[in-house]
Amino acid sequence: MATPELPTTRPSHHSASSISDEKVPVTDNSSLEVAKDEKGVDVVAELLSGHAEDAEIDPEVARKIRNNLDRHMLPLLFALYTLQFIDKGSLASSSILGIIPDNHLTANQFNNLSTAFYIGYIIFVWPHAYLMQRLPIGKYIAANIFFWAVCMGLQAACKNYGGLFALRFLLGASEGCITSGIMTIMTMFYTRVESTQRISWTFQCNGVALILSGFIAFGVAHINAKAHPRQWQWFMIITSIASLVVSILYFWYMPDNPANARFLTKEEKVLVVQRLRINQNGVESKVWKRYQFIEAIKDPKTWLFFFFAAIANLQGGVGVVYNIIIQGYGFNTLETTLLSVPKGVGMILGVTLGTIFIRRYPNSHTIIGIIGFVPSSIACFLLLFLPWSAKPGLLVGIYLISTNGVGFIMILSLCAVSFAGHTKKMTVNAIFLVGYSLGQMLCSQFWKEKYRPRNTVPWIIQLMTYVGDIILILIIRWYLSSENKRRDREKLESGKEYEEFGYIERIQEDGTTIKYKVPIQFLDITDLENKAFRYSL
C-alpha cells in the first residue's frame, strides 16, 4: 500500500457535543469526517478511545504519574547522555594522554578527527529520522548505542590517522540519532514545561561527563606512559565497556512510546497521554506523510532553528581543545586532567539555573536563552584582554565558557515543542541536527596551532557566535509571538470555538464499522493545521 501523502484525518466540523457516544456505528448517511486509515493517526489514538471526554486529571494523580515516569526513564536517559558526551569528548581527553604522538598526528589532522565525527553525523541524520519513525525508537537507539560502543573500543587498536578518521566517522554516524531520539521521547511522555526541564537535566549530564572523564583521565594518567595498553587506549576501553552496558539496559527497559511502556498499567498509559493534550502536538505516528515533510521544509521556523543550531555549534571547538589550552598555560598532564573538572561544574551550574528559571517562568525559553549566553560572552573578553600572567583569571574564563549550554538547551527544547505532526517533527529535528553538524564540522578548524597559545582569532570568532545567537533568538521570539497574536486575532474575528475532537474509523470482526472519538491533537495533524496550537516563547 502506498504511503498516504495527505492527512488521513481532519477534525470533525461538528461540535464536540453533537455526538455523546465515544464509539458510534458508521451509517451511509453519516456526515462525520473520519480517518479511513487508522495507521495514519497517532499510535495512542486507540488508547484514548472511550476516554476522549474524561474529566481533567487530579493534580496529585498527575504528579504520581510523572514521578513514575521519572523513576523508570530518567536514569536511562542520564546514563545515555553522560556516556555519549564522554565518547564525544574522548578525543579531547586523549589529546594529553598520548594519542597524538602514538598515531603520528599533526595539529590539523587532530582537528580533522573532530570534523570526521560530524561528517558521519550529518550524512546519517536523514536516514535516522526516517528509521526512527518507522521502527521502535527505543530499540533503534539501543542498537546504535551498541554500534558506537564497538567503534569506541576499536579506536584503541588504531595506529594511524586513517584508522582513527574512519572510526570517528562511524561514531558520528551511530550517535546521530541520540539527540533527536531524546527530544522525541521526552515529548512523548512529558508536557512542554516538563520536557524542557528534563531535556535540561539530561544536558546537565554533559557536565557530569566532563567531571567523570576528567577523573578517568586522571586515573589512567598514572599508568606508565610506555606500557601497553597506552594511557589513551585504556580511556577508550573503559568508556567502550560502559557504553555496551548502557546499550543492553536501553534495549530492555526504554519504552518506544506510552502505549508499550511495560512499567505502566493500561489506566496509567491513558493518564500519561491525557496529560499531553496541553502540548497540542500528539505522540507518534508510524506513517511517513509527504505533505508534512513539505510543510516542514516551507515553514520559516524550521530555518530559524537551523541557523541557530549552526551558529551555536561553531562554539564547540573549545570542547575539543580545552585540555590543550589549559596545558598551554603551563600545567603538566596530571594537573591538566584535574583542572578540566571545574569546566563540568560550570556547565551543571549554568543548566541548573536555567532549569529553575524555566520552571518558575515556563513561557520564557527565549529570554533565558539570551541570558544564558551572557556569561560566555564575558568569558571571551577575559580570555582576549587579561594579561598572559593572570592564569587564574584565564582559567575562570575557560570555566565560564562552559555555561553557554543553557542558551543552546533552551532553544533546543523550544524547537522540540514548536512543531506538531510526527513526520514534520522528525523532519525539523533532522534539519536542526544538520545545522548542528555543520557547526560542529567547522568549529575545530579555526583552532589552529599558529594561533596558540593566546588563541586571539578563535576567541573573537567565539564571541561573534554569541552575538549571532542572541540576534537569532530575538527573531525567533518575534516570529512565534506574531503567529500567536495572529491566531488569537483570527479566532476573535470568527467568533467560533476550536473543534476539540475528531474521529477514526475501524472495521470490527463482525463487519460493522465503529467511529472512535479522539482529541484532535492525537490525529497526527501539524501545528499549522491545528489552529488551537499556541507556541511557547
Side-chain angles (χ1 to χ4, degrees):
M1 179 183 295
T3 301
E5 296 189 0
L6 294 173
T8 56
T9 186
R10 290 286 187 274
S12 167
H13 296 294
H14 295 260
S15 67
S17 60
S18 63
I19 292 184
S20 59
D21 294 330
E22 299 291 347
K23 304 175 183 178
V24 295
V26 174
T27 60
D28 291 338
N29 60 359
S30 174
S31 59
L32 290 172
E33 189 170 354
V34 297
K36 298 300 182 183
D37 180 8
E38 63 181 285
K39 293 180 181 178
V41 300
D42 206 291
V43 294
V44 299
E46 180 183 358
L47 197 64
L48 284 177
S49 61
H51 300 278
E53 295 183 284
D54 285 0
E56 289 189 11
I57 303 172
D58 180 83
E60 181 61 22
V61 174
R63 184 186 66 81
K64 290 180 179 178
I65 290 292
R66 185 181 65 241
N67 290 344
N68 190 23
L69 293 173
D70 287 346
R71 282 194 301 273
H72 286 87
M73 297 180 63
L74 290 187
L76 289 172
L77 292 170
F78 291 168
L80 169 62
Y81 226 79
T82 299
L83 280 168
Q84 186 206 25
F85 202 76
I86 290 175
D87 292 349
K88 276 186 181 179
S90 61
L91 204 58
S93 300
S94 300
S95 65
I96 57 172
L97 297 175
I99 193 172
I100 293 175
D102 285 353
N103 287 272
H104 319 292
L105 302 176
T106 66
N108 284 339
Q109 287 176 330
F110 179 77
N111 289 338
N112 289 342
L113 292 179
S114 176
T115 301
F117 181 96
Y118 289 99
I119 292 174
Y121 201 106
I122 198 171
I123 289 174
F124 281 86
V125 159
W126 288 106
H128 283 318
Y130 179 78
L131 291 171
M132 279 193 290
Q133 179 166 13
R134 300 303 295 258
L135 301 174
I137 190 169
K139 307 300 183 293
Y140 183 79
I141 293 175
N144 277 277
I145 300 170
F146 179 84
F147 184 68
W148 110 42
V150 172
C151 292
M152 190 72 189
L154 288 175
Q155 287 182 108
C158 289
K159 300 183 184 301
N160 55 52
Y161 171 67
L164 284 172
F165 191 96
L167 286 170
R168 295 294 298 178
F169 173 88
L170 293 174
L171 273 170
S174 58
E175 292 192 30
C177 67
I178 302 303
T179 299
S180 177
I182 286 176
M183 290 167 61
T184 303
I185 288 173
M186 285 291 189
T187 55
M188 284 183 184
F189 289 87
Y190 294 102
T191 65
R192 288 182 178 185
V193 173
E194 290 169 355
S195 62
T196 297
Q197 290 175 322
R198 282 149 185 81
I199 288 173
S200 298
W201 296 344
T202 302
F203 270 79
Q204 280 182 316
C205 295
N206 289 358
V208 175
L210 283 172
I211 294 170
L212 289 177
S213 62
F215 283 119
I216 294 171
F218 180 74
V220 300
H222 284 80
I223 298 171
N224 185 342
K226 302 297 182 183
H228 291 280
R230 302 289 199 192
Q231 294 171 347
W232 66 272
Q233 291 172 322
W234 273 117
F235 189 94
M236 301 294 185
I237 292 168
I238 291 168
T239 54
S240 173
I241 292 171
S243 299
L244 283 171
V245 172
V246 169
S247 72
I248 295 169
L249 293 174
Y250 215 89
F251 182 86
W252 285 109
Y253 296 110
M254 178 56 70
D256 303 305
N257 57 59
N260 71 2
R262 290 182 293 179
F263 59 86
L264 297 173
T265 65
K266 175 70 180 294
E267 292 73 20
E268 288 172 334
K269 292 175 183 178
V270 173
L271 292 173
V272 166
V273 176
Q274 286 181 327
R275 291 171 66 250
L276 302 181
R277 290 182 62 177
I278 191 174
N279 289 1
Q280 292 289 343
N281 55 5
V283 174
E284 184 184 24
S285 170
K286 289 300 182 184
V287 174
W288 180 269
K289 298 179 179 177
R290 183 173 178 268
Y291 88 95
Q292 289 193 13
F293 172 81
I294 294 172
E295 182 178 307
I297 298 296
K298 292 181 176 180
D299 194 331
K301 301 192 303 293
T302 301
W303 300 105
L304 289 174
F305 285 112
F306 165 83
F307 285 115
F308 170 83
I311 292 174
N313 282 280
L314 286 173
Q315 302 150 12
V318 179
V320 180
V321 298
Y322 69 90
N323 273 329
I324 295 174
I325 293 172
I326 293 173
Q327 194 171 49
Y329 295 154
F331 301 103
N332 63 35
T333 298
L334 284 174
E335 291 169 339
T336 300
T337 59
L338 288 180
L339 287 170
S340 68
V341 170
K343 190 171 185 294
V345 176
M347 185 178 294
I348 292 172
L349 287 176
V351 176
T352 299
L353 288 173
T355 304
I356 292 171
F357 282 121
I358 197 64
R359 184 172 184 177
R360 190 175 181 87
Y361 308 104
N363 203 33
S364 302
H365 293 79
T366 51
I367 300 301
I368 298 170
I370 290 171
I371 295 171
F373 286 118
V374 171
S376 301
S377 301
I378 294 171
C380 287
F381 281 103
L382 293 177
L383 292 160
L384 282 168
F385 298 112
L386 278 178
W388 187 245
S389 59
K391 297 299 191 293
L394 294 171
L395 283 173
V396 169
I398 293 293
Y399 301 147
L400 273 178
I401 285 286
S402 64
T403 62
N404 66 358
V406 65
F408 179 76
I409 292 164
M410 286 299 126
I411 306 307
L412 171 69
S413 59
L414 181 62
C415 179
V417 298
S418 293
F419 300 88
H422 198 66
T423 298
K424 184 175 182 181
K425 287 192 292 184
M426 298 303 289
T427 302
V428 171
N429 286 349
I431 292 172
F432 184 93
L433 291 175
V434 168
Y436 170 89
S437 302
L438 287 173
Q440 290 285 355
M441 284 170 61
L442 297 172
C443 70
S444 61
Q445 297 303 315
F446 50 80
W447 292 90
K448 296 184 179 296
E449 192 170 16
K450 65 182 179 180
Y451 299 134
R452 297 174 188 170
R454 192 75 220 201
N455 292 304
T456 300
V457 172
W459 291 128
I460 291 173
I461 295 172
Q462 192 90 357
L463 179 60
M464 291 301 99
T465 64
Y466 295 137
V467 174
D469 284 335
I470 291 171
I471 292 171
L472 271 170
I473 293 173
L474 289 171
I475 295 172
I476 289 170
R477 181 179 177 85
W478 167 80
Y479 185 89
L480 297 179
S481 177
S482 298
E483 182 63 16
N484 285 343
K485 290 176 182 177
R486 184 186 67 80
R487 293 185 179 205
D488 290 342
R489 188 169 56 251
E490 286 183 352
K491 181 184 178 185
L492 185 63
E493 291 172 354
S494 70
K496 298 179 181 179
E497 292 298 318
Y498 295 123
E499 297 293 349
E500 296 182 41
F501 303 99
Y503 298 85
I504 58 174
E505 181 180 288
R506 173 175 298 168
I507 299 176
Q508 304 297 297
E509 292 181 359
D510 61 2
T512 60
T513 302
I514 299 294
K515 291 175 184 174
Y516 292 85
K517 179 190 287 186
V518 294
I520 63 168
Q521 54 265 56
F522 297 109
L523 297 180
D524 194 36
I525 60 177
T526 69
D527 54 292
L528 298 187
E529 293 175 293
N530 182 4
K531 298 306 179 184
F533 193 101
R534 292 297 182 271
Y535 299 100
S536 293
L537 301 177

